[in-house]
Amino acid sequence: MGEGPGQPRLKLRGIHKTYSALVANDRIDLDVMPSSIHAVLGENGAGKSTLMKIIYGVTEADAGTMFWNGAPQPHLSPARARQLGIGMVFQHFSLFPALTVLENILLFAPKGATREELRSTLKTVSAEYGIPVNPDDVVGRLGMGERQRVEIVRCLLQKPKLLILDEPTSVLTPQAAEDLFVMLRRLAANGCSILYISHKLHEVRELCHTATVLKAGRVVATVDPREESEDALARHMLGSMVPAIRHDAAHAGAERMSVLALSRDSEVAGGVGLDDVNLAVRCGEIFGIAGIAGNGQAELLEALSGEWVGAPAECVCLDGAPMGRAGVRARRRAGLVYVPEERLGRGSVPGMPLRRNSLLTTGFANFFRGGLIRQGPVDAFTRRCIEEFDVRPADGTANADALSGGNLQKFIVGRELLQSPKAVIAAQPTWGLDVGAARAIRQLLVDLREDGVAILVVSEDLDELFAICDQIAVLANGCLSEAKSASSTSVEEIGRLMSGRPVAGVGSPLQGGACADQA
Amino acid sequence: MAEADFFIFIAVATLTAATPLLLAALGELVSERSGVLNLGVEGMMLVGASTGFAVAAGSQSLALAVLAAIAAGAVLSLLFGFLTLTCMANQVATGLALTIFGTGVSAYIGSGYTGSALEVAGPAGIAYLSEIPVLGPLMFSLEPLTYFAFLMLAGVWWFLQRSRAGLTLRAVGDAPEAAHANGLNVLRVRYLAVMFGGAMAGAGGAFLSVFYTPVWVENMTAGRGWIAIALVVFAAWKPTRVLFGALLFGGVTIVQFQVQGINLGIPTQFLSMLPYAATIVVLVVISSDRIKIGLSTPASLGVPFRR
Amino acid sequence: MPIRLEPRAAASRWVRYLAPVASALAAMIAGTLLFFFIGHDPAEAFYVFFVQPVSDLYGLGELFLKTAPILLCATGLAIGFRSNVWNIGAEGQLILGAICGGSLALAFDSVQGWWLLPAMFLAGGIGGMAWATVAAVLRVRFNANEILVTLMLTYIAGLFLSYLVYGPLRSPTGFNWPESTAFHGAARLPRLLDGTRMNAGILLALGVAVAAWVFVRFSYLSYQMEVGGKAVNAARYAGFGRNRMIWLGLLISGFCAGLAGVVEVAGTIGKLREVVSPGYGFAAIIVAYIGRLNPLAIILSSVLMALFFIGGEQAKVSLGVPSAITGIFQGTLLFFLLMSDLLVSYRLTWVGFASNSAEGGGAVDG
C-alpha cells in the first residue's frame, strides 16, 4: 500500500445510492489528501451523511468504488474501516449512554485489550491532545460536548489516518467549537486527514483546506474555501441566494407571557432542572432563548406549555392571569399555541393521516357535536392548513410519517398558527430544514409579531435567533441569563453566556442549582 | 436439633422452589438486557416441562430430559426471534401468542402422560460432603439443576459485567442504532440472547416436571413464567438481585405449603394466592420509583430494531 | 440476506384487512398439516376441526354460543389496546363478572323478577371493572406494569372462584361437587332457537360491538385514547391525560369481560362452578388483534375463534387429542398475522446474493 505524495488517501469514484425514489448520492467522486482538512458542504438533505456512512461502511453503496491509498475496498464494514484507519464521529447515535466512557472505548478496542491497558492509553491520549475525559463517567450523564470529546478520543485511540466528523459543532458553544478547531488543526499537522461535514459556511472557511460542495446528492463544486467568499459558497450550495428576512424595529406592547421565579427538578434521568427562571414576552415581540439542548430547555418548555404543572400558579402568567396550575388545554383556550421540537411523535402522531392530526391541538367548537367528531369541518381546516402553508403532498389522507421533515413542520406550524394565537412558543422551529423552508417559517413568525402576537423561540441556532429575535436570553445549566436586546448584543457575548459557568457539557449536569453568576 | 433440622428442611425446600424461577428469570434477564422483551416465558417453560417429562419417561435419562427441554425452549424462542427480530413484529403481542401457542403444544406433547408420575430418586447428594452436619444437606444434597442454576447465575453475572461479549450485549440493548452504526450485528446478538432465554426457560420447566413434582399436569407451571418476568423487573435487570427475588418467592411458596400443612383454618385457595399477590406487591414497591426504574430499564426494551 | 425491505408509502386498506383473512387460512392449513405430521388423515382432521362442528343447526348454535363471550372480551380489550393499555387479564375479569353476577342470582334465588337478569349483568360488569380497577390504580399510582398485574389477578380470581364453589357457595344438594345450586329461570338468558343452546348473549355481544364501533370511529374520547396509544408524547403535548386513558382502557375492557362472565354463567352453564371459561379471555387478545382492533371486524374474528374452540372439543372426541390443542391454532393464527404485517408495511425486494449486507433504509442526512 503505497502512500506516496500526490496519492489521495481516500478516493471515491462514482458512489451512487438511492433510497426508494430518492437519489441520496448521485455518482459522487471525491479525493481526500493526507494532512488535509476537507469539507463536505451542503444543505440538509444534500446527501452528506449518507456519503459518510458509505465511507465508514455502515451503509452500502448501490454502485461505485472506494479506494484507500489507491487500493479498491469492495466489502466495507465499520470494523474493516476501523482497521484501515478510518474513524468517525457521528452527529447522533454513536455512544452507549448506559455504559461508562471506558466501556464505550473497550467495545471497539482490539481483541485482547484489557481494561487496565485501555485506561492508561486513554490517559496518555487525552493528555497528548489536551482532551480531558474521565474513564469511569457514565456517558448518559455527560453533556453533549463531553460526549463528543469521548467520541473523538475513542477514534484517536485507534490512531486514525482519516477522521470523519459529521456536523460536530451543532452541539457546541462557539468557544468549544474554537477549541475543537485547534485540536483538528493539530491532528492534521500530524498527518491525519479530516473529512469535515457541515453546512456552516464560516466554519468551513475558517478551518478547511478544500471543500466539496454537494447539492441534491451531486457534487457541484470543489473549491478552496479560504479563497471563496461566503456568498460564493452559499451560491454553490443553494444554487441561488435566499432573500433575507424582513425584520422591522419592534413596537412591543403589554406583557403577554411571563415566568416568575420558576424553579423545578427535571423528571427524566440525567435531565437538568430550572433554577429561578424569570422572563417576560411582550405583545409584538420575539423573545429568543439560546443555549445547547439539555440545559433545562425541555423542562422550561414543559412548564410553559402546561405539560408540567408542578409550579405555583403565579409562576407562569398569560395576559396577567396566573396559569401555572392550568393544563395544556386550558392554556390553549387562553390563546397559547406551541410548536414542539419533536415533529413526529409529539407535534404529530405517526401512523395517523393529517386530517386526524389536525384534531390534535385544535378545539374549535364546530369540530364536535355531543362528544363525537364532525370530520367535515376538520377536513376543511386541514385543507386550509395544507393550502396556506404549502404542505406537500397536498393530501389530508397522507400519514404524518410519510411527509418530509420540512413539510410536516409546515403542517404543524400551520395548524398552530391558524388558531389565531395570542402567544406562540416555538422550539427549534427550523432544525434540520432546508434553507427555503426555514426561511418561510422564520418569516411567518416575524409576520405574526407584526400582528402583535408574543412569540418565544427556543433555539440552538444563534444565526436564527439573531435573524428574528428582539430580545435574547441564554439558558445554561438551568439558569436563564438576563435578556438583552438583539441589537445590543453579539454572537460572541451570547456564546460566552452559553458556555456560562459551569460550561454546558463540563461537570455533571446532575449538580442541580450550581449556577454561578453569568454576567 | 429438631429446630435445626426443620430450618435445614425449609432452607433446602426454599432453594429447590426457587430454582425454576432463577433459571427462567436469568434467561429472560439476558434477553431483556439485549433489548428484547419476551413475554412467552410461560409458554416456553411449559413446553420445556412437557418435553422433559416425555423424554424422561421414554429414555429414563434425566440428563437427556433436561437437554431436550433446553432444546425445546430454544426452538420456541427462535420462533419468537424470527417474528420479533426478523419480521419486526410487536414483542408484547408475539410473546402472548407464544405463551398461548406453547400452552397448546405442551398439552399435546404431554397428552399421553397426564397424571402419570416419573419414578425419580431424590437428589443423590455429593458423596461424603453431604454428610457434613447442617452445611452438608444445605450445600451438597441439592438437585443437580439447582447447582446448575447457581452456576448460571455466576456465569451471567460474569458475562454481563466482565466479558467483552456481555459488553456488546448491553450496548445493543442500550442503543441499537449506535451499535449498528459501529458495525455490531444487532440481530445476531439479540437472536443469541433470545435463544439463551428460551433455553433457560426450558430448563426451568424441566426442573418442575422432572425433579420438583415428577408428574405432568397441563398448565403445571402455574404462572411461574410470568413471575420470572416480574422478577427481572424486581431485580432491576441485575443478576444478583434475581437470586434474591427467586429466594423470596421460593420462601413464599414453602411458607404457603407449611401453613397448609399445619391447618390454621385458612382456606387453601387463599394460601395458594400468596405467590401471585406477592408478585403484585413486589412490582408495586419496585416500580413506584419511576426515575430509578427508568434508569435501570434497558433503553431499547421492547422496541423493534429496523436495520 | 438477498432480500431487502422497503417501507411502503401507504399500506392500502384492503391489504390491511386481507392479511388477517390470509393468516386465518394459513393457520387452518398449518394446523391441518400438523395433524398430518402426527399421524392423522389431514382431510379427516380438517373436517373434524372446521366442518363437522358447524354442519348442523345445533353446531351453528354452539358456534354463536361461544362467540358471545369471546366477542365481549375482545371488544373491550380492543378499546384498551388502541390506547396501548395492555390488559391481558380479561380472563380474570370474566371470572369476577361470573362471581358477581352469579352470586346475585343465588342471593335472589327466592325473589324472581324481570329485573334480576339486568341486575346480574350490571353486577358482573361492575365486578369485572372492579378487578381491572386494581390494575388501574397500581399502574397510575405506582407505575406497576399492567400486563403482569392483570395476569396475576387472573390467577387470584381463579383461586377465589375455586374457594367459593368449594366453600360458601357450594350447593348443599350437589353431592359435594364444587358447584353452586343451579340458577332459576329468571336468572337464565333466554334461548333464541329451539334445538340449539344459543342464547340471547350473542345479541348483547353484537350490541356492545356495534356500540364500541361507533365509539372508536366517531368519538373524540376514543380519538384521544388512540393518540395516547400511538404516541405518548403527542398525547402529552395535546393535553390528553395519560392516566385518564389508562383508567378508561382498563375499566371499559374490565366491564366487557365482566359481562362475558355473566353471559357464561347465566347462559351456557346456569350455575357457578370451578371453571367458567376455557380461556376465552386469553383467546380474546388474539381475536382483538386479528380484527385489527376494529369492533366490526372483531365480530368475524370472534366467530373464527369460536370455531377453533369447538373444533378443539370435537378433535378431543373424534381424534383423541387434548382440547388444549386449540391453543396451537390460536398461537399460529397470530404468528401468521404478525408475519404478514411485515408485508403490509414493507415491500420485499429481491436484491440478489451479490451484495453482502443489504441496507434497506435509514434517513438521508440525519
Side-chain angles (χ1 to χ4, degrees), chain A residues 48-49 302 338 356 371 373, chain C residues 218 220 223 236-237 356 365:
Chain A
K48 300 172 307 222
S49 288
E302 276 181 351
Y338 173 26
R356 301 285 276 178
I373 298 165
Chain C
F218 299 108
Y220 187 44
Y223 170 79
R236 215 167 114 89
Y237 160 68
N356 56 348
D365 267 54

Side-chain angles (χ1 to χ4, degrees), chain A residues 362-428:
Chain A
T362 47
F364 297 112
N366 67 334
F367 282 10
F368 309 103
R369 190 195 292 129
L372 300 185
I373 298 165
R374 296 173 65 205
Q375 195 60 48
V378 179
D379 284 347
F381 174 82
T382 310
R383 270 197 303 279
R384 201 179 138 208
C385 185
I386 288 173
E387 277 161 25
E388 287 188 21
F389 292 83
D390 188 28
V391 178
R392 285 174 224 178
D395 174 11
T397 63
N399 276 351
D401 39 331
L403 268 66
S404 71
N407 279 302
L408 186 58
Q409 181 72 344
K410 282 192 272 183
F411 172 77
I412 293 169
V413 168
R415 182 188 66 200
E416 297 303 302
L417 299 192
L418 282 179
Q419 299 178 51
S420 351
K422 290 180 175 170
V424 177
I425 305 170
Q428 317 285 8

Side-chain angles (χ1 to χ4, degrees), chain A residues 263-347:
Chain A
S263 295
R264 60 167 295 202
D265 291 330
S266 177
E267 284 172 347
V268 294
V272 174
L274 298 176
D275 187 11
D276 192 22
V277 167
N278 293 279
L279 66 89
V281 190
R282 292 175 297 167
C283 302
E285 171 182 83
I286 300 183
F287 188 106
I289 295 184
I292 305 290
N295 275 283
Q297 277 81 353
E299 287 72 14
L300 177 62
L301 287 165
E302 276 181 351
L304 283 169
S305 69
E307 288 163 76
W308 177 83
V309 287
E314 42 303 332
C315 270
V316 181
C317 291
L318 281 175
D319 274 331
M323 278 285 183
R325 291 269 173 209
V328 171
R329 297 171 83 188
R331 292 189 203 193
R332 287 187 165 275
R333 278 193 295 275
L336 176 72
V337 301
Y338 173 26
V339 179
E341 177 184 354
E342 193 190 337
R343 286 154 206 163
L344 200 61
R346 191 178 201 94

Side-chain angles (χ1 to χ4, degrees), chain A residues 58 82 94 96-98 103 109-110 269, chain B residues 161 164 170-171 174-175 181-182 295:
Chain A
V58 181
R82 279 195 295 270
S94 168
F96 302 95
E103 284 173 331
Chain B
Q161 292 306 315
R164 178 80 78 89
R170 280 155 57 203
D174 185 30
N182 284 300
L295 269 179

Side-chain angles (χ1 to χ4, degrees), chain B residues 307, chain C residues 1-5 348-358:
Chain B
R307 273 173 303 165
Chain C
M1 266 194 286
I3 293 171
R4 164 157 102 176
L5 293 177
L348 299 187
T349 316
W350 181 262
V351 294
F353 287 96
S355 56
N356 56 348
S357 75

Side-chain angles (χ1 to χ4, degrees), chain C residues 187-264:
Chain C
R188 298 295 305 268
L189 276 169
R191 287 232 171 126
L192 289 185
L193 210 58
D194 283 334
T196 69
R197 297 202 296 158
M198 182 167 72
N199 61 45
I202 184 70
L203 299 181
L204 175 74
L206 287 173
V208 168
V210 170
W213 179 75
V214 172
F215 176 73
V216 301
R217 183 82 176 70
F218 299 108
S219 81
Y220 187 44
L221 194 57
S222 167
Y223 170 79
Q224 298 180 17
M225 293 174 72
E226 198 181 333
V227 169
K230 287 200 158 111
V232 178
N233 284 336
R236 215 167 114 89
Y237 160 68
F240 305 155
R242 180 69 185 142
N243 288 347
R244 199 159 134 245
M245 304 305 143
I246 293 170
W247 270 105
L248 274 170
L250 279 164
L251 291 190
I252 293 175
S253 51
F255 187 83
C256 291
L259 292 184
V262 180
V263 164
E264 275 304 276

Side-chain angles (χ1 to χ4, degrees), chain C residues 4-277:
Chain C
R4 164 157 102 176
L5 293 177
E6 282 181 358
R8 289 180 197 270
S12 71
R13 219 184 169 74
W14 69 271
V15 172
R16 256 179 67 75
Y17 281 101
L18 190 71
V21 177
S23 311
L25 290 174
M28 286 180 171
I29 293 167
T32 311
L33 279 177
L34 176 83
F35 276 104
F36 171 68
F37 282 121
I38 59 182
H40 295 282
D41 176 8
E44 187 202 352
F46 188 87
Y47 178 78
V48 165
F49 225 93
F50 300 113
V51 182
Q52 191 185 4
V54 288
S55 55
D56 56 13
L57 185 66
Y58 179 81
L60 283 171
E62 288 297 293
L63 186 68
F64 292 111
L65 185 78
K66 291 192 192 305
T67 300
I70 298 174
L71 176 54
L72 279 168
C73 288
T75 305
L77 289 182
I79 291 174
F81 290 167
R82 280 176 160 261
S83 62
N84 229 0
V85 174
W86 291 95
N87 176 7
I88 62 167
E91 184 81 1
Q93 292 138 22
L94 181 154
I95 292 173
L96 250 286
I99 290 174
C100 292
S103 307
L104 200 71
L106 295 170
F108 289 94
D109 200 26
S110 49
V111 200
Q112 305 193 13
W114 63 266
W115 50 268
L116 184 56
L117 206 50
M120 282 167 65
F121 275 105
L122 193 63
I126 290 173
M129 210 156 75
W131 213 230
T133 300
V134 178
V137 169
L138 297 185
R139 167 69 202 267
V140 168
R141 179 75 187 77
F142 299 103
N143 192 33
N145 182 304
E146 76 274 15
I147 297 178
L148 293 168
V149 171
T150 52
L151 205 96
M152 292 297 126
L153 286 172
T154 298
Y155 286 101
I156 293 176
L159 287 163
F160 185 55
L161 175 60
S162 163
Y163 158 72
L164 289 177
V165 295
Y166 274 100
L169 295 183
R170 172 142 68 178
S171 163
T173 58
F175 305 104
N176 262 353
W177 282 96
E179 291 182 345
S180 74
T181 322
F183 303 162
H184 57 70
R188 298 295 305 268
L189 276 169
R191 287 232 171 126
L192 289 185
L193 210 58
D194 283 334
T196 69
R197 297 202 296 158
M198 182 167 72
N199 61 45
I202 184 70
L203 299 181
L204 175 74
L206 287 173
V208 168
V210 170
W213 179 75
V214 172
F215 176 73
V216 301
R217 183 82 176 70
F218 299 108
S219 81
Y220 187 44
L221 194 57
S222 167
Y223 170 79
Q224 298 180 17
M225 293 174 72
E226 198 181 333
V227 169
K230 287 200 158 111
V232 178
N233 284 336
R236 215 167 114 89
Y237 160 68
F240 305 155
R242 180 69 185 142
N243 288 347
R244 199 159 134 245
M245 304 305 143
I246 293 170
W247 270 105
L248 274 170
L250 279 164
L251 291 190
I252 293 175
S253 51
F255 187 83
C256 291
L259 292 184
V262 180
V263 164
E264 275 304 276
V265 292
T268 319
I269 305 173
K271 58 189 155 202
L272 284 177
R273 61 178 195 208
E274 200 176 2
V275 175
V276 291
S277 154

